């Protein structure tokens, strides 16, 4: 693997999940693989889990890690080609990425969408330019429209919990997974939801997406998922419920209503098969998800965050083994 930007960069998602779970059992088994190799983590937006878990994963593999919040600590970045840079931008992504690629063997890069121009965001312009100009393998730390390390950690979590609940290896049942839209006060990217859908559509699960009218994901991400505008019906017999807000794709980047009634709470949990409740974090308590769920054994948010390390380590291991 030379690029980890979406599920399409992975040959076999089941083997990658198995590899991550093996690393979780034996974190230091490959600590010489990363000797004398440098990982750069470059952020254009805030991060907690992605930054620390990827750093931890690299350290487990014996790598050196350099982290930079480029948006705050670097020169103002120009990403458009052919502009006369007589304004506020100081350095072009062609040079910035080119330079960073000389200092690092692998680079993780994060850039959120502007949520203003859909075609521009969905072209992944900034991420793709970074990949082109840095000339070393790149891991997406969340791009304008995808968050693949999160989705891999989510799939690891689902597999881990499902297998623990059904220890008999001959069990054939597949879990019902529901992605449910949640209210929010800020227009958020579709990235986490897009990626989760993209991974679930490839995984061996029964997958439903539920959201109010107007929040349909892009068709290439929704894929063959079952879609429902009735959250109660969608939640029936769910084994896993993934809670996430996203802004509208059709009315691009907009919040269409206050989303009243869509917060996941204990009342709705009763409709499910005692589901594990997931969220990528950071979560707005009492708005997206009720405290009573986050503070209950049904919450899997810390399991997911823990699995971020093993997701990142499996990906790094693959790139280092090139
Ligand atoms: C990001 C998102 O893509 O939804 C990162 C998730 C991993 N989340 C936010 O930006 C939350 C911001 C907020 O104000 O709650």
């Amino acid at each position: 693997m030379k690029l980890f930007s979406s599920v399409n960069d992975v040959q076999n998602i089941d083997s990658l999940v198995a590899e991550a779970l093996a690393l979780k059992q034996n974190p230091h088994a490959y600590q010489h693989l990363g000797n004398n190799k440098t990982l750069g983590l470059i952020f254009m937006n805030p991060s907690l889990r992605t930054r620390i878990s990827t750093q931890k994963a690299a350290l487990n593999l014996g790598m050196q890690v350099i982290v930079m919040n480029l948006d705050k600590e670097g020169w103002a970045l120009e990403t458009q080609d052919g502009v006369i840079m007589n304004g506020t931008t100081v350095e072009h992504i062609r040079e910035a990425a080119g330079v960073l690629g000389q200092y690092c063997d692998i680079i993780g890069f994060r850039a959120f969408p502007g949520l203003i121009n859909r075609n521009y965001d969905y072209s992944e312009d900034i991420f793709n330019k970074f990949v082109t100009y840095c000339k070393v393998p790149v891991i997406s730390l969340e791009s304008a429209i995808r968050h693949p390390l999160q989705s891999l950690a989510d799939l690891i979590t689902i597999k881990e919990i499902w297998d623990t609940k059904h220890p008999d290896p001959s069990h054939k049942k597949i879990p019902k997974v529901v992605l449910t839209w949640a209210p929010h006060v800020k227009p958020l990217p579709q990235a986490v939801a897009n990626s989760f859908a993209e991974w679930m559509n490839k995984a061996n699960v029964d997958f439903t997406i539920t959201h109010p009218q107007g929040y349909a994901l892009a068709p290439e991400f929704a894929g063959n998922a079952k879609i429902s505008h009735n959250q109660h019906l969608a939640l029936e017999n769910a084994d896993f419920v993934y809670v996430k807000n996203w802004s509208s794709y059709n009315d691009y980047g907009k919040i269409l209503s206050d989303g009243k009634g869509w917060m996941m709470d204990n009342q709705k949990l009763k409709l499910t098969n005692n589901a594990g409740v997931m969220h990528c974090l950071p979560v707005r308590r009492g708005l997206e998800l009720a405290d009573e769920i986050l503070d209950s054994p049904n919450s899997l948010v810390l399991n997911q965050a823990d699995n971020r390390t093993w997701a990142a380590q499996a990906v790094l291991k693959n790139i280092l083994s090139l």
Side-chain angles (χ1 to χ4, degrees):
M1 200 191 298
K2 274 198 173 144
L3 173 68
F4 181 75
S5 66
S6 90
V7 74
N8 302 317
D9 297 319
V10 181
Q11 267 188 356
N12 184 326
I13 56 173
D14 294 329
S15 339
L16 193 60
V17 167
E19 219 168 333
L21 286 168
L23 287 165
K24 187 171 185 172
Q25 292 309 311
N26 204 348
H28 303 113
Y30 297 89
Q31 58 183 316
H32 298 296
L33 202 59
N35 268 0
N36 304 319
K37 299 278 187 198
T38 302
L39 174 70
L41 298 177
I42 309 298
F43 291 93
M44 303 300 293
N45 302 90
S47 173
L48 188 160
R49 278 149 294 279
T50 302
R51 174 171 170 160
I52 305 298
S53 64
T54 311
Q55 202 163 341
K56 175 75 183 168
L59 295 174
N60 285 345
L61 292 166
M63 298 185 81
Q64 317 267 354
V65 192
I66 298 171
V67 184
M68 186 172 184
N69 298 311
L70 193 63
D71 60 324
K72 296 188 186 69
E73 297 153 5
W75 300 106
L77 199 63
E78 179 59 61
T79 59
Q80 298 301 310
D81 287 322
V83 292
I84 296 167
M85 288 170 56
N86 59 359
T88 51
T89 56
V90 179
E91 175 156 38
H92 202 279
I93 193 167
R94 287 177 179 250
E95 282 79 42
V99 166
L100 289 164
Q102 291 177 312
Y103 303 150
C104 304
D105 299 284
I106 302 174
I107 299 184
F109 183 67
R110 163 170 286 189
F112 283 4
L115 293 178
I116 292 169
N117 181 334
R118 187 171 88 178
N119 285 344
Y120 178 71
D121 286 346
Y122 274 67
S123 75
E124 299 259 48
D125 183 65
I126 298 180
F127 183 81
N128 290 337
K129 280 181 173 151
F130 194 90
V131 170
T132 304
Y133 301 128
C134 79
K135 298 199 177 100
V136 295
V138 175
I139 299 175
S140 166
L141 304 176
E142 187 170 349
S143 69
I145 59 168
R146 289 183 171 95
H147 194 357
L149 280 178
Q150 180 66 52
S151 310
L152 174 55
D154 297 336
L155 184 57
I156 294 166
T157 308
I158 289 170
K159 161 98 177 134
E160 200 178 26
I161 301 290
W162 190 244
D163 286 356
T164 310
K165 277 192 181 167
H166 302 89
D168 174 4
S170 66
H171 82 85
K172 289 281 188 293
K173 246 187 100 187
I174 62 165
K176 175 174 176 182
V177 178
V178 179
L179 168 62
T180 179
W181 183 91
H184 208 286
V185 285
K186 242 169 69 181
L188 296 191
Q190 294 98 37
V192 171
N194 282 345
S195 241
F196 185 71
E198 188 171 56
W199 284 69
M200 287 305 120
N201 280 326
K202 280 216 171 172
N204 190 23
V205 303
D206 170 9
F207 183 48
T208 300
I209 307 175
T210 179
H211 56 74
Q213 298 274 3
Y215 285 99
L217 295 175
E220 66 266 32
F221 289 107
N224 293 327
K226 292 173 200 134
I227 309 291
S228 169
H229 296 135
N230 185 328
Q231 190 190 34
H232 287 247
L233 279 182
L235 289 173
E236 269 176 19
N237 292 317
D239 297 296
F240 296 91
V241 178
Y242 201 97
V243 179
K244 183 71 184 89
N245 167 267
W246 61 89
S247 60
S248 176
Y249 170 76
N250 284 315
D251 197 354
Y252 192 62
K254 297 284 189 307
I255 297 179
L256 306 177
S257 73
D258 63 7
K260 221 170 161 9
W262 277 80
M263 181 178 75
M264 186 68 199
D265 59 14
N266 269 349
Q267 205 57 32
K268 293 177 188 169
L269 195 61
K270 289 196 190 124
L271 301 166
T272 71
N273 187 17
N274 193 24
V277 179
M278 306 173 73
H279 189 289
C280 62
L281 304 180
V283 66
R284 302 272 192 131
R285 283 177 170 251
L287 176 68
E288 294 178 83
L289 239 170
D291 289 26
E292 64 197 15
I293 290 190
L294 282 164
D295 299 329
S296 81
N298 289 76
S299 172
L300 298 180
V301 300
L302 294 185
N303 305 59
Q304 291 168 265
D306 179 14
N307 285 331
R308 292 294 308 273
T309 301
W310 319 113
Q313 198 168 328
V315 170
L316 282 169
K317 177 175 170 268
N318 269 276
I319 296 176
L320 287 168
S321 309
L322 276 180

